[in-house]
Amino acid sequence: VPDVPVTILPERRTVMVGSGSVVLRAAQSQGVDITATCGGRGRCTSCRVKIVEGVAPPGTINDQLQLGDDLVREGYRLSCQLAVSEPLSLQLAPPLDERAFQILGVDRDAVARARVPMDAGVRKRLVRVELPQEEHHQTSDLEQLALAAALAPADVPLEVIRTLPSTLREAKGEATVVTFQDRPLGVERGDTTAMAFGIAVDVGTTSVVTTLLELASGEVMASVSSLNPQATFGGDLMSRIAFAQWNPSNLRKLQSRVIGLLNQQIDELLERTGVLPQWVYKLTVVGNTCMHHVLLGIDPTYVGLSPYSAVLRHPLVLPARTLHLKVNPEARVCFLPIVAGFVGADAVAAALATRLDESDAMRAVVDIGTNGEVVMGTRERLIACSAPAGPALEGAQIRHGMRGAVGAIDRAWLADGDLRFHVIGDGPAQGICGSGLIDVVAAALDAGLIDWTGLIQLERRDRFPAPLAGRLAERGEERLLVLVPRGEAAGAGEIVLTQDDVRQLQLAKGAIGGGIRMLQHVLGVPDEALQDLMLAGGFGNYLSIPSAVRIGLIPPLAPGRIRYVGNAAALGAQLALVSETERARAERLARSIEHLSLATHPDFQDLFVEAMNFPKA
Ligand code: FES
């Protein structure tokens, strides 16, 4: 793993941090003193730093919980949670400005306002149950429990009652009662009050991210990300809907694939942390409308047909046993609500995490993925659309496309009159991933190898300097750009960008860029008025912002107005997990966001056609 230099102010000491590792540990082991009151678990604020140079990686849930959204936006991070991949300069435990100072310590009301209340809704209480003593009693185990724990006997689920006789007697009546929103979920032998965990799930079209948190503190215990195994039945949503359409057995296949994956991920999380499955009492799930429906085993056929109507939108809460998830069978699985059409709980979660509904400034969050989503607005009005980009941006349906793994060209630029590339792992190239594709096309536009309509400029070959001219080629009917000549790529192959690849990218970026333009159009927001454009989704972290602007994927805003916020949907799911207040806010958000259907809007077709072209230099 390559090391990344991190400069720590005010002393200007540079420490080397392994790429992907957290700053706190590396800095401490190299002799920099950073106070870590909670031991680096993201539960205090003593290790905070401010990023003063370099691109701030997206905030984590612990940054959000401990520092609050405002400070995270200003570049504050907990160094124990701060994983680096690019050089940074950090100010150590920086003096906070007056407002921030209040948030962090003195003004208690401000603390309450700025921070997310930690109220997961799960409560564990130790009770002492007086067991029936003599044979003339007119009571029962359940009634005695209800008396001790102030519960209504009728609220206790049968599954819990079945465990009562032994549970209550094994520890001589000492038991821990678990409730969610005051409804009993379980009774455990002895004192287990310290053990309460939850799992947040983000089911994306392409990948599934699952995170285990301790409910009382919000501490992230472990997180896993895997490819969505439904992809073998279709890369994008429409092909997956087509697979399940009017075919219950195919729908069951899709559902069991994703539930199987969730159970694998849950196993891994529990094994890594030593948390027992029965200690997981709450889950939150976000995903677009199609993923949401399929996970519930609901036929998505009509989601995929005009007028694209969802079967349900409200925040559903189910016991985990209904979905056969391998946690406490009574654990509550809370699906975040859906806006409408394809705009699902993932968009709601992203708006929740980025607090779009709390600011007066015109802001937008764009989830760049197979199924792109855009939410834009202010506290007055929020509007959202879904932009079906297809999988080109993830490297699929591209001749030499691949995911962002070792061997992928992930960066490209022009230097000394030719194209230059970076390959993940620095070995021979095996293909090109989404961020590389965007860079290559941006550089090719700058060099004039591709014109604004997307046409590869074969006819003008003579006008280019030799290295660039040598990249233009024609094979049969096909125009292409040779990126890595035959013999120099992995396996002595070559890597090319075909005319068709360029067209696929134009369709994808036209969908997302057109979606952004459409919301701007409906809200009457020119580029100058858009103050904050946040790029979300796993992919959003890797692409180069200048290249994304160059190809017209996103509008050309002033520098500093475009930034990465990481997987905002997953962060929103985590917030709703540790805070019922946030989950209730998600419900209000879902009801207040207006859904704009691109397919039926009379102005969209023109905007889309325009957005497929590249901006003229
Ligand atoms: S050491 Fe406590 S939050 Fe980092």
Side-chain angles (χ1 to χ4, degrees):
V1 193
D3 279 347
V4 178
V6 173
T7 305
I8 297 182
L9 308 173
E11 288 95 27
R12 287 222 139 266
R13 280 213 33 202
T14 298
V15 295
M16 299 306 287
V17 183
S19 179
S21 308
V22 293
V23 170
L24 178 77
R25 290 277 169 262
Q28 283 179 333
S29 69
Q30 292 168 59
V32 177
D33 234 3
I34 302 181
T35 315
T37 309
C38 72
R41 296 159 69 190
R43 292 177 171 199
C44 67
T45 57
S46 68
C47 69
R48 70 181 183 276
V49 293
K50 183 176 185 180
I51 294 162
V52 288
E53 253 174 80
V55 180
T60 65
I61 175 107
N62 299 108
D63 292 314
Q64 288 280 345
L65 294 176
Q66 302 302 339
L67 298 169
D69 191 56
D70 286 349
L71 289 182
V72 170
R73 256 201 268 172
E74 284 170 32
Y76 285 80
R77 296 289 184 276
L78 300 174
S79 63
C80 66
Q81 309 292 312
L82 175 62
V84 292
S85 54
E86 279 168 65
L88 293 176
S89 295
L90 309 173
Q91 178 87 38
L92 213 58
L96 298 158
D97 69 15
E98 210 172 307
R99 180 172 48 101
F101 183 63
Q102 286 177 351
I103 288 172
L104 281 181
V106 178
D107 175 351
R108 294 218 158 256
D109 288 348
V111 174
R113 276 200 305 276
R115 288 216 206 154
V116 173
M118 302 290 290
D119 56 347
V122 173
R123 242 179 100 205
K124 293 188 94 172
R125 279 177 303 147
L126 183 64
V127 295
R128 187 162 288 285
V129 179
E130 290 293 334
L131 290 165
Q133 295 294 346
E134 28 94 20
E135 294 185 13
H136 300 293
H137 61 78
Q138 295 268 339
T139 182
S140 64
D141 289 1
L142 178 59
E143 285 161 274
Q144 291 304 103
L145 170 78
L147 191 67
L151 294 172
D155 286 345
V156 181
L158 176 60
E159 284 75 7
V160 173
I161 298 175
R162 286 189 181 129
T163 66
L164 276 187
S166 56
T167 304
L168 292 184
R169 283 170 186 83
E170 276 164 21
K172 300 202 174 61
E174 194 180 74
T176 302
V177 174
V178 195
T179 54
F180 177 65
Q181 290 185 332
D182 299 327
R183 309 283 283 197
L185 296 186
V187 179
E188 295 167 2
R189 172 165 49 95
D191 184 356
T192 61
T193 46
M195 304 300 173
F197 300 89
I199 290 178
V201 182
D202 169 27
V203 187
T205 314
T206 305
S207 53
V208 180
V209 183
T210 299
T211 309
L212 176 74
L213 290 96
E214 192 193 34
L215 292 176
S217 63
E219 181 180 341
V220 172
M221 311 293 295
S223 188
V224 279
S225 169
S226 326
L227 289 180
N228 188 330
Q230 297 172 340
T232 45
F233 302 117
D236 58 37
L237 286 184
M238 279 305 184
S239 49
R240 252 177 262 173
I241 291 176
F243 178 75
Q245 221 156 23
W246 297 298
N247 188 332
S249 93
N250 282 356
L251 170 61
R252 268 198 307 279
K253 259 183 222 164
L254 289 181
Q255 186 195 19
S256 61
R257 282 252 170 161
V258 68
I259 288 182
L261 175 73
L262 289 180
N263 278 330
Q264 267 175 34
Q265 292 186 320
I266 290 170
D267 274 350
E268 187 183 333
L269 292 173
L270 298 179
E271 200 180 296
R272 272 185 5 210
T273 54
V275 168
L276 299 180
Q278 64 263 35
W279 293 336
V280 175
Y281 303 105
K282 181 183 177 187
L283 296 91
T284 47
V285 181
V286 305
N288 61 55
T289 308
C290 176
M291 292 299 111
H292 169 282
H293 282 28
V294 167
L295 179 54
L296 287 165
I298 295 170
D299 180 2
T301 298
Y302 295 97
V303 179
L305 293 174
S306 173
Y308 311 104
S309 151
V311 177
L312 79 158
R313 300 192 301 153
H314 75 283
L316 192 66
V317 179
L318 299 170
R321 69 182 133 75
T322 328
L323 294 174
H324 309 287
L325 294 174
K326 294 199 277 178
V327 293
N328 189 312
E330 290 300 315
R332 289 302 182 254
V333 186
C334 307
F335 285 80
L336 262 61
I338 283 169
V339 175
F342 279 103
V343 179
D346 49 351
V348 173
L352 187 75
T354 51
R355 309 197 106 66
L356 280 186
D357 56 326
E358 288 182 353
S359 79
D360 295 318
M362 183 57 66
R363 301 167 64 210
V365 56
V366 183
D367 193 331
I368 298 175
T370 311
N371 188 63
E373 274 166 349
V374 190
V375 191
M376 188 182 290
T378 62
R379 72 165 86 234
E380 296 296 321
R381 184 183 183 197
L382 286 172
I383 173 166
C385 68
S386 144
L393 294 173
E394 323 238 8
Q397 283 170 21
I398 298 297
R399 173 81 56 90
H400 289 137
M402 65 179 285
R403 298 188 56 80
V406 171
I409 295 176
D410 66 335
R411 289 261 173 270
W413 62 95
L414 277 178
D416 309 324
D418 196 8
L419 289 174
R420 306 270 175 234
F421 307 100
H422 174 260
V423 176
I424 300 177
D426 296 317
Q430 291 174 12
I432 182 162
C433 67
S435 63
L437 181 66
I438 291 172
D439 274 0
V440 165
V441 172
L445 283 166
D446 281 341
L449 294 171
I450 297 176
D451 75 357
W452 66 279
T453 67
L455 188 69
I456 294 178
Q457 299 293 293
L458 213 59
E459 291 75 9
R460 301 179 60 219
R461 187 194 266 145
D462 300 343
R463 304 207 211 152
F464 293 104
L468 287 178
R471 295 189 180 276
L472 288 162
E474 189 171 28
R475 305 238 176 101
E477 294 284 274
E478 191 173 53
R479 291 160 185 257
L480 45 85
L481 282 180
V482 179
L483 304 183
V484 181
R486 191 171 295 286
E488 288 176 31
E494 64 171 353
I495 292 172
V496 300
L497 181 78
T498 68
Q499 183 65 63
D500 202 45
D501 294 342
V502 179
R503 298 296 179 217
Q504 290 294 336
L505 178 69
Q506 285 178 282
L507 282 171
K509 75 105 185 169
I512 291 175
I516 300 174
R517 284 278 174 244
M518 191 66 209
L519 296 192
Q520 286 183 274
H521 172 69
V522 169
L523 289 170
V525 176
D527 289 350
E528 314 81 74
L530 191 52
Q531 314 226 354
D532 190 13
L533 182 72
M534 295 170 280
L535 304 179
F539 181 68
N541 296 330
Y542 304 107
L543 60 82
S544 135
I545 289 175
S547 296
V549 169
R550 180 64 187 89
I551 69 163
L553 174 65
I554 51 177
L557 305 187
R561 290 194 170 185
I562 306 174
R563 62 192 173 108
Y564 304 120
V565 292
N567 192 340
L571 185 59
Q574 294 169 24
L575 286 169
L577 181 71
V578 298
S579 172
E580 284 289 284
T581 310
E582 289 291 299
R583 198 163 72 84
R585 204 161 73 78
E587 192 175 346
R588 290 197 300 279
L589 257 172
R591 296 291 78 88
S592 70
I593 296 174
E594 291 169 44
H595 173 231
L596 183 80
S597 163
L598 296 182
T600 54
H601 196 286
D603 299 342
F604 182 66
Q605 209 46 39
D606 290 345
L607 269 174
F608 176 58
V609 170
E610 204 182 298
M612 283 219 296
N613 286 325
F614 295 114
K616 294 177 192 162

